[in-house]
Amino acid sequence: MAAVISCNFISPTMPTNRIRFPLQRTQHNNAWLSRRFVPKCCSKNSNQFQKWKECAVSIALAVGLITGVPSFASANINPSNLALPDVSVLISGPPIKDPGALLRYALPINNKAVREVQKPLEDITDSLKVAGVKALDSVERNVRQASRALKQGKTMIVAGLAESKKDHGLEMLEKLEAGMDELQKIVEDRNRDAVSPKQKELLNYVGSVEEDMVDGFPYEVPEEYQSMPQLKGRATVDMKVKVKDNPNLDECVFRIVLDGYNAPVTAGNFVDLVERHFYDGMEIQRADGFVVQTGDPEGPAEGFIDPSTEKTRTIPLEIMVDGEKSPFYGATLEELGLYKAQTKLPFNAFGTMAMAREEFENNSASSQVFWLLKESELTPSNANILDGRYAVFGYVTENEDYLADLKVGDVIESAQVVSGLENLVNPSYKIPG
């Protein structure tokens, strides 16, 4: 595994005024975006959900939120077609916002024992929100709970390892056990600053054990998409960005984990483009406080032109829903009537990565990608207007906070697959042409 690469700072001072929602207008949506929107929360419609939906859309338009929904520059955005979550989903439990945790829970496994080790280790993050060394009392309880769960559930965890990955899984378990003892010693020594790095290390071991429980790829994509590049597993990409006109930041390497278990065609398409060096030298093309977006090549084409066909390569909308064995293709969850469905890869984390597409053409994504930055009242984690409408296929897991410092014109110096390339099948970058 490649070493962690840190950002290169010019100054330790981080900017604080990061979030803005400027009104964006395109040639096709000027007409309705330029109108003044007033919230309409007094609908006479007897359907209470419809009242709420109309009110929410109106408020969103009034503050310019929906104008930031990612699309191509020429996309038509119509407020009547935006998918809003069911009220019952909005009041569900607290969302998971950590990208590493989202990736762990998205794995196609069902092993209660390992989850009972994972959860208290993740809870350390909340424990550390308490000021001073008092936080260590809660951390100690978390560590003891995780250690007890590991001791009691080890037999079940080992039984859940895929036979082909068992040796590696056992190695990770040994490191996890030793690391637990080290974390306990850190807490006993009241060394608060050492807790978070050790927690991250242990959760990486847990994630590795969980990935070693996945035996092969759990399903086949539809026949019409089987010839496309597919990522049957996970891959990690390091994206190095040269930052211009920023006294606080010179360059930064963003580590991105791509999830082919839940978005094999979407993630495979991106890995294939990375191996073609498609994004190398490309500028950041949108950075408005809501999303950072790139991937529009020079020239009239709005996507990747496959040299073997001389046509734009497009991929289907691909959405995996919790409880399903394979993704839905070609339709939004709203179109499928799945208003309460939870996506396996939600727009919960800062730096959630997804494909941009034409608003009214579900299968029009090609090479343009975006990272979500802003969580607002109408795009809350676990229930927002983007889940089920755009295909999420990964998360920025390191240096994600610095996405907010990127500006239009900053340059992607390189994007490189540092692990998981062996999981790519049907790689078109190897085809001459």
Side-chain angles (χ1 to χ4, degrees), residues 11 20 49 59 151 199 252 346 393 409 415 418 433:
S11 164
R20 295 187 299 113
F49 172 68
I59 292 173
K151 183 177 180 179
Q199 175 208 20
C252 193
F393 62 102
V418 294

Side-chain angles (χ1 to χ4, degrees), residues 243-275:
V243 181
K244 299 179 179 179
D245 302 323
N246 189 329
N248 303 308
L249 194 63
D250 181 24
E251 62 183 25
C252 193
V253 175
F254 299 95
R255 175 150 292 187
I256 308 165
V257 176
L258 309 173
D259 188 355
Y261 289 120
N262 293 292
V265 175
T266 312
N269 175 72
F270 181 76
V271 171
D272 188 69
L273 292 176
V274 167
E275 286 300 296

Side-chain angles (χ1 to χ4, degrees), residues 154-375:
K154 185 175 180 180
T155 300
M156 186 179 296
I157 293 172
V158 172
L161 295 172
E163 195 61 37
S164 61
K165 304 176 182 178
K166 195 167 186 176
D167 290 343
H168 182 263
L170 290 173
E171 180 185 348
M172 292 298 102
L173 277 174
E174 289 181 6
K175 291 184 177 182
L176 178 60
E177 289 176 311
M180 291 276 205
D181 293 337
E182 293 168 3
L183 181 54
Q184 182 63 45
K185 182 66 166 55
I186 287 171
V187 174
E188 291 172 356
D189 292 343
R190 313 305 279 177
N191 186 357
R192 179 190 168 106
D193 292 342
V195 170
S196 186
K198 180 58 70 172
Q199 175 208 20
K200 183 174 182 180
E201 177 187 327
L202 297 183
L203 284 172
N204 284 338
Y205 293 147
V206 170
S208 294
V209 170
E210 291 173 344
E211 287 199 54
D212 289 339
M213 292 179 172
V214 182
D215 190 8
F217 195 74
Y219 58 87
E220 291 293 332
V221 303
E223 184 176 355
E224 59 265 41
Y225 309 129
Q226 286 185 2
S227 63
M228 293 182 170
Q230 299 172 47
L231 185 66
K232 293 195 170 183
R234 287 186 172 166
T236 301
V237 170
D238 279 349
M239 185 179 74
K240 184 178 181 181
V241 180
K242 179 69 174 178
V243 181
K244 299 179 179 179
D245 302 323
N246 189 329
N248 303 308
L249 194 63
D250 181 24
E251 62 183 25
C252 193
V253 175
F254 299 95
R255 175 150 292 187
I256 308 165
V257 176
L258 309 173
D259 188 355
Y261 289 120
N262 293 292
V265 175
T266 312
N269 175 72
F270 181 76
V271 171
D272 188 69
L273 292 176
V274 167
E275 286 300 296
R276 287 178 175 272
H277 304 286
F278 177 83
Y279 298 99
D280 294 1
M282 187 171 287
E283 293 186 349
I284 299 299
Q285 295 152 354
R286 174 179 176 181
D288 56 11
F290 184 65
V291 301
V292 169
Q293 184 168 332
T294 191
D296 185 3
E298 293 183 0
E302 292 181 330
F304 165 65
I305 302 297
D306 190 334
S308 65
T309 64
E310 297 184 348
K311 296 180 180 179
T312 301
R313 183 173 79 190
T314 58
I315 58 174
L317 179 63
E318 184 176 45
I319 307 290
M320 177 70 93
V321 170
D322 196 23
E324 296 291 333
K325 294 182 178 180
S326 60
F328 290 103
Y329 288 90
T332 67
L333 296 189
E334 181 188 35
E335 292 166 346
L336 295 170
L338 300 175
Y339 300 104
K340 297 184 181 182
Q342 295 290 301
T343 56
K344 291 288 285 186
L345 300 175
F347 281 94
N348 282 17
F350 192 99
T352 299
M353 187 176 187
M355 296 299 299
R357 63 175 177 83
E358 293 281 359
E359 179 65 13
F360 301 117
E361 296 181 21
N362 293 340
N363 297 339
S364 59
S366 178
S367 60
Q368 294 194 44
V369 299
F370 68 92
W371 295 270
L372 182 69
L373 305 185
K374 172 66 176 175
E375 181 181 348

Side-chain angles (χ1 to χ4, degrees), residues 374-393:
K374 172 66 176 175
E375 181 181 348
S376 73
E377 290 77 6
L378 288 176
T379 57
S381 295
N382 256 19
N384 62 61
I385 60 177
L386 300 181
D387 278 336
R389 293 184 60 84
Y390 293 89
V392 175
F393 62 102

